[in-house]
Amino acid sequence: MMTMPAVETYDTVVVGGGPAGATAATDLARLGRSVLLLDKAGRIKPCGGAIPPRAIRDFDIPDHMLVAKITGARMISPTNRRIDMPIEGGFVGMVDRGPFDEWLRQRAASAGATRRAGTFERLDHDGDGVSVVHFRPRDGGPDATARVRARTVIGADGALSQVGRQAVPGADKVPHVFAYHEIVRSPGAGLADFDPTRCDVYYQGPLSPDFYAWIFPHGDTTSIGTGSMKKGFALRQAVADLRRTTGLDACETLRHEGAPIPLHPLKRWDNGRDVLLAGDAAGVVAPASGEGIYYALLGGRLAAEAVDEALHTADSRALAQARKRFMKQHGRVFFILGLLQRFWYRSDWTRERFVGMCRDPDVQRLTWQSYMNKELVRAKPAAHMRIFFKDVASLCGLARP
């Protein structure tokens, strides 16, 4: 009589090997948990690639992973006014998501996680009530399938998370910005307005009616992209227009990518039993800026802590701690950035005034301090008060935009 091979069982199966999934797998493996990291090989998310010093410190990102160090940003208004925002005494690191994400996955494997390349298909439970993860291995045929048992599952499989849609109520109802970018070979010194140490951010309706477009240097390469919530907006054409007007249309295009970016955190990250979401799957991308790498790294770490606690105590309520801890640390920032995006990005009139505010020294200092350290700056109430009154003046049209 032929016996069926035993199905492998893991403490945790992590679906998705981006910053959130790879970090969760690393931390859990270091805690002695058995971990399977399941990832679609070759997938690269469209991303500006910026990581603040807080991320570099907290997640031990080595210097060799930084392909550029940005020392300032330039904000370009609808009337083409340009406002420079230099970083005083610091920098923003830039990474290329292809090599960076693979380095994170390799770190997870070095910590003891098992890696497999494959596509998640579905979740169910066996007779013992243990989750079974079904996936299609990359190295198998078109009809090949595999399955593993998982005491817990972390869904870190992106904004349209299949894990979330199958297991977590409300995971399919979050609005998204759709982002598209082209990676080009960086121009040489002949392009006068290109600075390899500066990020350019375009707040212009034709390039994005409700978000922004960007030019972010990555050392040898540069990301040129845009995003919008509006269905039918021609993202590729907007990028082509941006490249043409900046002279970057002459640069060699190396690859292009598109993907949805969630606009705010989900109200619930777990299913109350054995599934927890992290990263884009949980909606942790900062409104207004679209920044996600730091929040994904942190979300992965908090997911690992919550899963480890749930496994240790056999109490699934511990899974909810991931969201509670994240929102306690960053919920206020996300709320403020959400208000900023909804108001200042709604028209070229408001965008013009928003860019005008960015020339203010108080705005620049507080913006960079908050961004670099990932916390609101509370030590300068006078500066906050000045910014408030300047905001009101701009809103009422009483100040020069």
Side-chain angles (χ1 to χ4, degrees), residues 211-236:
F211 201 56
Y212 64 82
W214 67 84
I215 298 174
F216 288 176
H218 289 175
D220 293 338
T221 64
T222 294
S223 166
I224 309 168
T226 189
S228 176
M229 277 189 68
K230 294 197 173 181
K231 292 183 178 180
F233 180 73
L235 297 168
R236 289 174 182 256

Side-chain angles (χ1 to χ4, degrees), residues 39-46 97-98 101 105 256-260:
D39 185 62
K40 282 182 180 179
R43 176 76 174 97
I44 303 174
K45 178 189 173 183
R97 286 294 300 271
D101 287 14
R105 291 189 287 268
H256 55 85
E257 295 126 8

